Amino acid sequence: MNQTFKTVASSNITISELMLPSHTNFSGKIHGGYILSLLDQIAFACASKFSGNYCVTASVDTVNFLKPIEVGELVTMKASVNYVGKSSMIVGIRVEAENIQTGKIKHCNSSYFTMVAKNSDGESVTVPGLILSNQSDLRRYFNCVKQIALKKEKDLHEEIFDHNSPAAIASLDGHNVKLDIEFH
């Protein structure tokens, strides 16, 4: 098999957008849902650019809202493919907001989207391999490997965990919950 490889840098996408009053939530900050929409768009562009195919969002693995974004700030999103599987890619996205009057930049969000490359019939297709060119590429790749392993472990735990067992029920002591369930 003659597989092609591409660098992480070949996937890089950057978008910037001025935040407007129409993007706010009820507290006057930029709405998280609006940011999620932009994140999905840049993840699509990044994965499609890298794979050369239409891509769909398979999962939103992490979205950490770190700081609020204000009206009038210039939001810049930087995305790159950090990991590739057979037909999937994990796209890492960093969101920064710049106060255009002071020039102060703050890190507002880090996100990871799993994207899958599709052909015109909607079938998954193989993506290029990933060339890791520097320590940052290598660190991000291994972080994704760790993230995948944790996700598999969580899924396995949920499959085998008996939520009705006496030990599980007893483990709720000290939690801020009250059981109002009838057990049979």
Side-chain angles (χ1 to χ4, degrees):
M1 181 169 108
N2 186 13
Q3 181 173 359
T4 60
F5 286 81
K6 290 184 173 181
T7 62
V8 170
S10 72
S11 73
N12 290 350
I13 296 275
T14 301
I15 61 169
S16 295
E17 185 172 331
L18 185 65
M19 294 295 105
L20 303 174
S22 61
H23 303 140
T24 60
N25 59 23
F26 291 110
S27 68
K29 307 295 182 193
I30 301 305
H31 195 287
Y34 182 71
I35 298 302
L36 280 169
S37 173
L38 294 176
L39 289 168
D40 194 47
Q41 290 175 40
I42 195 169
F44 167 82
C46 179
S48 295
K49 177 182 177 185
F50 181 80
S51 69
N53 290 283
Y54 178 80
C55 292
V56 296
T57 305
S59 67
V60 179
D61 302 310
T62 307
V63 178
N64 291 320
F65 291 102
L66 305 172
K67 293 184 179 155
I69 300 171
E70 309 289 339
V71 170
E73 289 184 325
L74 182 65
V75 168
T76 299
M77 297 185 175
K78 300 173 185 176
S80 65
V81 171
N82 293 346
Y83 174 91
V84 297
K86 185 176 183 223
S87 61
S88 65
M89 298 152 279
I90 296 178
V91 175
I93 309 163
R94 180 180 174 94
V95 179
E96 297 176 337
E98 179 182 358
N99 180 314
I100 56 177
Q101 293 174 325
T102 66
K104 184 177 178 191
I105 297 173
K106 60 186 175 184
H107 178 205
C108 297
N109 186 304
S110 288
S111 300
Y112 299 91
F113 281 56
T114 298
M115 308 297 289
V116 176
K118 301 285 187 175
N119 64 18
S120 58
D121 296 326
E123 298 165 339
S124 297
V125 295
T126 303
V127 298
L130 193 61
I131 299 171
L132 307 175
S133 304
N134 55 52
Q135 291 295 319
S136 183
D137 292 352
L138 185 62
R139 177 182 52 79
R140 288 179 180 140
Y141 185 86
F142 277 121
N143 283 343
C144 289
V145 169
K146 183 178 173 183
Q147 180 181 340
I148 291 165
L150 288 171
K151 192 175 179 181
K152 286 180 181 176
E153 184 179 320
K154 178 182 173 281
D155 291 346
L156 178 62
H157 174 77
E158 287 182 7
E159 280 181 28
I160 62 173
F161 185 72
D162 180 2
H163 297 82
N164 292 320
S165 72
I169 300 304
S171 74
L172 293 175
D173 287 345
H175 289 255
N176 191 20
V177 297
K178 179 180 175 182
L179 288 180
D180 190 18
I181 301 170
E182 193 174 314
F183 292 94
H184 299 285

